[in-house]
């Protein structure tokens, strides 16, 4: 007979370190503001560009943190192999499949990061032929700029709306089943029936994250100054 886990046998485990949580909520705020400013147009486009460099810095940071971050934030811990995904879909998931991102959740996270990277990349190559052009547009052919602009304005946003809607629907679904995902993204901790290893979230690790975030900001800043550099 299956044994029920009583609250006293649950283990409180740090899953999302502070840098990952800050990354997540800053990304959510920046993407929301980008959608609003992009739709407003006009002077709001100055903010749209600035926020775009912000998201570039956030994505670069996440790439670095995916290699150096806490155990459950590392890509190696959640990018699923086909066999892991199949096992999970057959209902034979293991403890580490529900500690961080589940194999299915990991696919949606990777899709979200990929689509956001494509949106930032195409923005850097876009030109509205009126007042705003991305800093890399002058380095590529007119055809490439036209393709990037069309993707950035007409295709990319719908992919982002779709993935964000799917993301929120999945969070509501799992929250209704009592998985406490949102609380974990706020506090960092999950109550788990298995005592899986925790993510290290010390001040030393946070200092490392700050250094990597500064490097990511420096790269985004360098890309931004290409706007002004004479060719
Ligand atoms: C534009 C809005 C949003 C974007 C772009 C976004 C993006 C992401 C990304 C990229 C991750 C993976 C985090 C990582 O490993 O680095 C993630 C995870 C997560 N997000 Fe969001 N998010 C958004 C809004 C929200 C909102 C509003 C909530 C809660 C109400 C939320 C709750 C979560 C939770 C709980 C996870 C962890 C899921 C898991 O346990 O696998 N997100 N989100």
């Amino acid at each position: 007979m299956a044994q029920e886990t009583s609250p006293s046998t649950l283990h409180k485990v740090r899953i999302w370190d502070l840098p990952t949580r800050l990354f997540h909520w800053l990304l959510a705020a920046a993407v929301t503001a980008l959608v609003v400013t992009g739709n407003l147009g006009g002077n709001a486009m100055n903010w749209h560009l600035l926020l775009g460099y912000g998201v570039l810095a956030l994505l670069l940071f996440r790439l670095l943190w995916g290699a150096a971050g806490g155990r459950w934030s590392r890509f190696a811990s959640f990018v699923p192999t086909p066999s892991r995904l199949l096992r999970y879909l057959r209902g034979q998931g293991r403890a580490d499949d529900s500690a961080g991102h589940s194999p299915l959740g990991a696919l949606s996270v990777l899709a979200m990061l990929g689509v956001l990277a494509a949106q930032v990349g195409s923005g850097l190559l876009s030109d509205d032929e009126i007042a705003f052009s991305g800093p890399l547009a002058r380095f590529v052919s007119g055809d490439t700029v036209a393709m990037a602009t069309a993707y950035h304005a007409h295709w990319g946003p719908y992919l982002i709306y779709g993935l964000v809607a799917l993301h929120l629907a999945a969070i509501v679904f799992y929250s209704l089943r009592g998985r406490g995902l949102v609380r974990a993204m706020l506090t960092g901790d999950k109550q788990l029936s298995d005592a899986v290893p925790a993510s290290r979230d010390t001040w030393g690790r946070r200092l490392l994250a700050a250094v990597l975030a500064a490097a990511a900001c420096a790269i985004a800043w360098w890309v931004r100054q290409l706007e002004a550099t004479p060719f």
Side-chain angles (χ1 to χ4, degrees), residues 125-138:
L125 291 168
S126 288
D127 187 347
D128 70 358
E129 293 178 358
I130 306 169
F132 294 98
S133 80
L136 305 185
R138 63 203 168 104

Side-chain angles (χ1 to χ4, degrees), residues 16 20 23-25 27-28 31-32 62 73 78 100-102 105 109 112-113 116 164 167-168 171 181-182 185 190:
W16 305 123
T20 303
F23 160 80
H24 175 263
W25 294 113
L27 184 71
V31 169
T32 307
R62 189 62 184 92
S73 297
F78 68 81
H101 298 303
S102 71
V109 166
M112 180 96 80
L113 294 175
L116 289 175
V164 170
H167 181 61
L168 297 181
I171 300 296
L181 296 186
V182 179
M185 207 25 114
K190 279 190 184 175

